[in-house]
């Protein structure tokens, strides 16, 4: 079974809001899903995102593949950077504290 992290459309006509969900890649866009890990509203300025970051990282570490749009959202929120740093800790490249410091530097620079 291939697991995807993708958007599920909700909302009115011409005013979509999206849930960020983890689902089997064979299920339809608005069909059943495994877990809801966030919301994305493109109509606010800037677009607002509510995300369960720990859950998203957990699914990425298990091998779930994000779609291009979700990958962009994760990149802006720092989820992909945290996953990258955790993989470095897992391989022994640096310690958990060093990874946390690197993420804090990025967070201060981009203020997500």
């Amino acid at each position: 079974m291939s697991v995807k992290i993708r958007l599920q459309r909700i909302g009115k006509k011409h005013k979509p809001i999206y849930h960020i969900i983890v689902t089997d890649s064979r299920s339809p866009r608005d069909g059943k899903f495994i877990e809801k890990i966030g919301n994305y509203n493109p109509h606010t300025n800037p677009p607002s995102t509510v995300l369960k970051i720990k859950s998203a990282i957990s699914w990425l570490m298990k091998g779930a593949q994000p779609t291009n749009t979700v990958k962009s959202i994760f990149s802006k929120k720092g989820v992909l950077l945290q996953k990258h740093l955790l993989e470095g800790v897992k391989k022994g490249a640096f310690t958990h504290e060093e990874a946390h410091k690197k993420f804090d530097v990025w967070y201060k620079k981009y203020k997500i």
Side-chain angles (χ1 to χ4, degrees):
M1 177 173 85
S2 176
V3 177
K4 289 273 194 187
I5 303 174
R6 65 183 181 201
L7 299 176
Q8 181 181 44
R9 189 181 195 276
I10 59 170
K12 298 178 181 180
K13 285 186 199 175
H14 307 291
K15 297 210 186 271
I17 298 174
Y18 299 95
H19 287 304
I20 301 170
I21 59 168
V22 178
T23 185
D24 180 10
S25 63
R26 297 170 291 183
S27 66
R29 180 192 74 182
D30 295 335
K32 65 179 184 175
F33 57 89
I34 300 168
E35 182 181 358
K36 178 183 157 196
I37 59 173
N39 293 321
Y40 173 66
N41 184 358
H43 293 290
T44 59
N45 191 12
S48 63
T49 306
V50 177
L51 190 61
K52 296 179 191 172
I53 293 175
K54 291 189 182 206
S55 183
I57 292 171
S58 170
W59 279 106
L60 288 172
M61 295 296 270
K62 291 176 188 173
Q65 295 295 315
T67 59
N68 292 336
T69 307
V70 173
K71 194 172 187 178
S72 174
I73 292 168
F74 282 178
S75 179
K76 290 174 186 171
K77 287 290 185 177
V79 173
L80 296 179
L81 176 63
Q82 285 183 352
K83 177 190 175 270
H84 178 73
L85 292 172
L86 286 176
E87 287 176 348
V89 169
K90 190 175 174 182
K91 292 179 182 178
F94 41 85
T95 64
H96 194 9
E97 293 79 24
E98 290 173 349
H100 189 65
K101 287 178 186 176
K102 288 181 181 189
F103 181 74
D104 285 343
V105 168
W106 178 86
Y107 185 82
K108 288 177 184 173
K109 185 175 179 181
Y110 293 105
K111 294 189 181 187
I112 55 175

